[in-house]
Amino acid sequence: MKTFAHAVAATMVVALGSTLSFPQADEAPPPAVEEEAPAFPAKVELVTVDVVVVDKKGRAVPGFDQSAFVIEEDGDPQTITSFQAVELPPLPPDEEPVPRTRVATNQGPEVRAVRTFLVVYDEIHLSLVQALRAKAAIGEFLRSGVRDGDRVMLIATAGSAWWSARMPEGRDALTAILQRLDARYVPDSSPDRMTDYEAMRIMVYDDPDVAYQVSRRFDAYGRVGREREGSRQHSDSTRTTGAVGIIDPYVRARAQEVYSQAVQRRNITLRVMTRALRALAGVQGRKAMILVSQGFIYEQRFDAMRALVDASLRVNVPIHFIDTRGLKALPDFMTAGFMGANLDVQDTVAVLADITLEAEGSVSMALDTGGLVVRNTNDLGSGIRRVSEESQAYYLLGYHSTNTARDGKFRKIKVELTRTQRQKGLKVRARRGYFAPRDGESEEPEGTTSDPMIGRALDSPFELREVPLRVSAFAFDQAATSNRVSVMIAVEVDVRELGIVEEEGRHRGEIAFLIEAQHLETGEYHQ
């Protein structure tokens, strides 16, 4: 069991980096690390596209040059104006992890041109069984999918984790946090259970066919009270007379309840992911977000989804979807334990079709951003490792769009190998498009109350070097029979660049601190 002091030290190290001495008064400050300015596809002319070429086994294929690719936008050929081929060297032999230092600073020499992975543990869309699969897959990724220097951030959608670490020394901390995460999604086992897709079809599209299928299923389970009995007779009469657009009131009421809950869960997940993506603005190197979840339904008109895809395209980060449902099977409400054997064949076929649509929102999100979809398999560990393997070799293609309209519309991108470079079994994967800019459109999410720059700095997996800091944690009075210790945090700040003013012979300035200590295994935190 780690002590509270260990948790404090770990928190500060993750937040501020590795040890490095400050320059003395007569020394020049360390030179800033030069980084290539990021290209924002939906904001400026240059559109940057990450491209991966994989073989039949899903392995990234290096060795292509600019002449090997052709790119189109909405069917119109585009001229590639910038090109970069990236191939990571082979992994070095296994070495002992670098021990975490007791002193943390944000002035380390680390360059940000490394691989960055945002792993989203979608606990509000995970049942208990799915959570076990999710943890096993993420644990396998931390063990064998990362390499020295990689940055990994573990994010839980319900707010129980937002932790960044450098590999391999941060693996133990991330693993400890992962193990304490739980599942928040409780499958509905009631007789009038309805899928999210069915609820969406009823509430958004007034689909009478789906409503009638649901009504038949409710009847197969047995009547659900007097209200259901009356509405059943109403449904049968409207179906017999051929009335269109009239849906059983009880079915509509249940659809409203299920749909509202589904939208609420989906909004939370999408907003957390969007927030994490915006924190990667300016971060160089290969970046990827991995959503580990049972997924969510798809709707054409959904602003939160557009905001997420737009954020992904702006920072050039593909989103990969790992479906924790595993091999598709009958849902719980169709098993013998829930009287599923009473269903007619036509109702069984309809429900089986709906199962494939329950996660279409997540699938569409991954494909639109150039990500990988791992579904209908129980070997999630192999699927999530493919994300790492594909980032061993990739290509950055840039072009200036021939369409200069700022209409906010989605523009389709298609990347292929030229005829002379096409080989049997090779597949090119890139994002499917981007949203054009719209004049007057804000890039910040609605409801943002704090300074956006500060928010992104707090959310980023990397340290900011602008204000030199050095932090040490010291534990005192630790008794063997007590769970509490006294901890002193010593913070040193280089104030020479903070604009301290002199008034009446005294130097005046103001610095605000927020220090949070969090226990790795229990999640308990103090500010």
Side-chain angles (χ1 to χ4, degrees), residues 67 73 96 139 170 174 177 280 338 341 374 436 519-520:
S67 63
E73 179 182 296
E96 291 295 325
L174 287 173
I177 294 173
L280 292 181
F338 298 109
V374 178
H519 197 290
L520 289 177

Side-chain angles (χ1 to χ4, degrees), residues 66 71 77-82 398-400 402:
Q66 177 175 334
I71 188 168
Q78 304 292 320
T79 301
I80 299 175
T81 57
S82 65
Y399 70 93
H400 294 273
T402 56

Side-chain angles (χ1 to χ4, degrees), residues 144-415:
S144 60
V146 296
R147 54 192 296 157
D148 186 22
D150 287 348
R151 281 283 180 149
V152 179
M153 176 176 280
L154 179 61
I155 302 170
T157 52
S160 54
W162 192 291
W163 193 279
S164 172
R166 183 183 184 275
M167 294 291 124
E169 57 267 31
R171 180 182 290 114
D172 290 343
L174 287 173
T175 301
I177 294 173
L178 174 65
Q179 293 308 313
R180 68 170 170 80
L181 298 179
D182 55 12
R184 304 293 181 90
Y185 178 79
V186 180
D188 188 357
S189 59
S190 62
D192 54 351
R193 197 265 191 192
M194 184 183 301
T195 68
D196 293 346
Y197 175 77
E198 289 171 334
M200 184 270 292
R201 291 297 306 182
I202 294 171
M203 296 308 302
V204 177
Y205 299 99
D206 273 333
D207 191 326
D209 293 327
V210 171
Y212 184 67
Q213 293 167 3
V214 172
S215 178
R216 285 174 55 87
R217 189 171 70 241
F218 286 178
D219 292 339
Y221 291 152
R223 298 167 184 169
V224 192
R226 295 180 179 177
E227 181 182 4
R228 172 69 193 125
E229 168 64 12
S231 62
R232 185 186 67 83
Q233 296 175 358
H234 172 79
S235 177
D236 289 344
S237 64
T238 55
R239 190 71 177 184
T240 301
T241 57
V244 178
I246 301 178
I247 295 176
D248 183 331
Y250 183 83
V251 172
R252 183 181 291 278
R254 284 292 293 132
Q256 175 66 60
E257 180 182 0
V258 173
Y259 178 68
S260 297
Q261 294 174 355
V263 170
Q264 183 179 20
R265 289 193 303 267
R266 184 177 55 182
N267 280 341
I268 293 174
T269 295
L270 294 179
R271 287 170 182 168
V272 169
M273 295 173 65
T274 303
R275 169 187 163 189
L277 287 173
R278 287 194 169 106
L280 292 181
V283 174
Q284 301 304 299
R286 179 66 169 175
K287 300 164 286 188
M289 172 175 278
I290 307 172
L291 173 63
V292 186
S293 169
Q294 71 171 354
F296 43 80
I297 54 178
Y298 173 80
E299 290 185 55
Q300 291 183 345
R301 299 180 181 179
F302 194 59
D303 292 340
M305 176 69 79
R306 168 173 173 164
L308 173 64
V309 174
D310 187 47
S312 167
L313 304 185
R314 286 179 185 274
V315 297
N316 209 23
V317 178
I319 302 175
H320 308 277
F321 171 47
I322 311 299
D323 190 340
T324 56
R325 295 179 299 170
L327 288 172
K328 302 299 182 297
L330 292 176
D332 291 339
F333 66 84
M334 291 186 65
T335 61
F338 298 109
M339 298 173 290
N342 295 332
L343 289 180
D344 292 342
V345 173
Q346 66 183 68
D347 297 322
T348 302
V349 173
V351 172
L352 286 173
D354 289 350
I355 292 176
T356 64
L357 300 172
E358 285 286 277
E360 280 304 297
S362 308
V363 172
S364 175
M365 169 196 67
L367 296 178
D368 284 345
T369 61
L372 180 71
V373 177
V374 178
R375 63 192 308 191
N376 202 23
T377 177
N378 289 331
D379 188 9
L380 300 182
S382 297
I384 199 171
R385 282 198 305 272
R386 287 179 57 190
V387 176
S388 174
E389 293 168 355
E390 289 192 2
S391 64
Q392 303 293 324
Y394 60 96
Y395 308 89
L396 295 175
L397 278 61
Y399 70 93
H400 294 273
S401 175
T402 56
N403 184 357
T404 59
R406 301 178 62 86
D407 52 14
K409 295 182 179 180
F410 186 80
R411 298 175 181 173
K412 295 181 180 180
I413 294 177
K414 183 179 181 180
V415 182

Side-chain angles (χ1 to χ4, degrees), residues 398-468:
Y399 70 93
H400 294 273
S401 175
T402 56
N403 184 357
T404 59
R406 301 178 62 86
D407 52 14
K409 295 182 179 180
F410 186 80
R411 298 175 181 173
K412 295 181 180 180
I413 294 177
K414 183 179 181 180
V415 182
E416 292 182 323
L417 293 173
T418 60
R419 291 183 179 273
T420 57
Q421 293 291 339
R422 291 176 188 172
Q423 303 175 29
K424 185 177 181 180
L426 293 186
K427 181 180 180 181
V428 177
R429 185 163 62 251
R431 53 191 169 100
R432 297 196 299 189
Y434 69 99
F435 287 103
R438 180 184 289 119
D439 291 328
E441 186 175 47
S442 173
E443 297 182 16
E444 299 301 329
E446 295 183 3
T448 301
T449 56
S450 60
D451 188 309
M453 293 183 63
I454 294 178
R456 284 193 291 267
L458 294 174
D459 294 340
S460 174
F462 290 92
E463 304 84 11
L464 294 186
R465 302 168 56 90
E466 282 72 10
V467 179

